C-alpha cells in the first residue's frame, strides 16, 4: 500500500519538486526492494521516479542495479521479473549512452532468464 501511495504522489508532484524529495524516496524504495511482498510495487514506483528524473536518475543506478539484476533473474515471480525488465528499459531510455556500462550485465541477466527452464513465456 505504501508503494502504491508513493507512486501516486510521485505522478502528481510538480516537476521542480521531485529533486527535493528524490533522495529520500529512493532511499525508502531501496529498503522496500528487500521485502519480497512489495518488490513489484517498489519497482513500479522506481519506474515513475526514473521517468520523472530522466538523466538525473543516473546517480541512483549503482544502488538500484543489483536489485534489478536479481529481480530480472527471478523467473519464479513473473510479475517482479516483468517489472524489473520494464524498469531496466526505463533506465536505458532515460539515460541513453551514459548507462552503457551496465549493458553487458543487463543482457546477460535477460538471456539467463529467457533460457531458464520453465520460464513463463510472457516474460
Amino acid at each position: 500500500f505504501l508503494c502504491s501511495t508513493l507512486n501516486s504522489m510521485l505522478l502528481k508532484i510538480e516537476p521542480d519538486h521531485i529533486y527535493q524529495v528524490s533522495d529520500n524516496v529512493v532511499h525508502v524504495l531501496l529498503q522496500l526492494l528487500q521485502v519480497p511482498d512489495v518488490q513489484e510495487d517498489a519497482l513500479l514506483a522506481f519506474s515513475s521516479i526514473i521517468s520523472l528524473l530522466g538523466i538525473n536518475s543516473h546517480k541512483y543506478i549503482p544502488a538500484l542495479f543489483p536489485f534489478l539484476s536479481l529481480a530480472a533473474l527471478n523467473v519464479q515471480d513473473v510479475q517482479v521479473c516483468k517489472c524489473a525488465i520494464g524498469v531496466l528499459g526505463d533506465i536505458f531510455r532515460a539515460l541513453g549512452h551514459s548507462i552503457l556500462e551496465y549493458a553487458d550485465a543487463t543482457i546477460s541477466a535477460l538471456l539467463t532468464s529467457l533460457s531458464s527452464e520453465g520460464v513463463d513465456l510472457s516474460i
Side-chain angles (χ1 to χ4, degrees):
F1 183 72
L2 173 65
C3 291
S4 298
T5 302
L6 186 58
N7 192 30
S8 178
M9 290 171 52
L10 286 171
L11 296 174
K12 294 177 183 177
I13 198 168
E14 294 288 327
D16 295 340
H17 295 139
I18 190 66
Y19 301 105
Q20 296 171 7
V21 300
S22 61
D23 286 347
N24 291 332
V25 170
V26 168
H27 178 73
V28 168
L29 289 174
L30 286 170
Q31 290 178 332
L32 290 172
L33 281 176
Q34 298 175 52
V35 180
D37 293 341
V38 296
Q39 285 178 340
E40 180 182 352
D41 293 323
L43 289 169
L44 291 172
F46 261 115
S47 179
S48 296
I49 202 159
I50 288 164
S51 295
L52 291 167
L53 291 173
I55 193 75
N56 295 313
S57 62
H58 189 272
K59 70 179 188 175
Y60 304 117
I61 303 309
L64 175 60
F65 193 79
F67 291 104
L68 287 176
S69 295
L70 288 175
L73 291 169
N74 185 4
V75 295
Q76 292 78 26
D77 190 334
V78 174
Q79 289 307 115
V80 168
C81 184
K82 288 168 77 172
C83 283
I85 292 169
V87 173
L88 285 166
D90 295 337
I91 290 170
F92 277 83
R93 273 188 296 282
L95 301 179
H97 295 294
S98 64
I99 196 69
L100 288 179
E101 66 188 273
Y102 295 97
D104 287 343
T106 300
I107 298 299
S108 177
L110 295 175
L111 290 174
T112 299
S113 290
L114 292 174
S115 64
S116 295
E117 190 173 311
V119 66
D120 187 299
L121 296 179
S122 69
I123 292 176

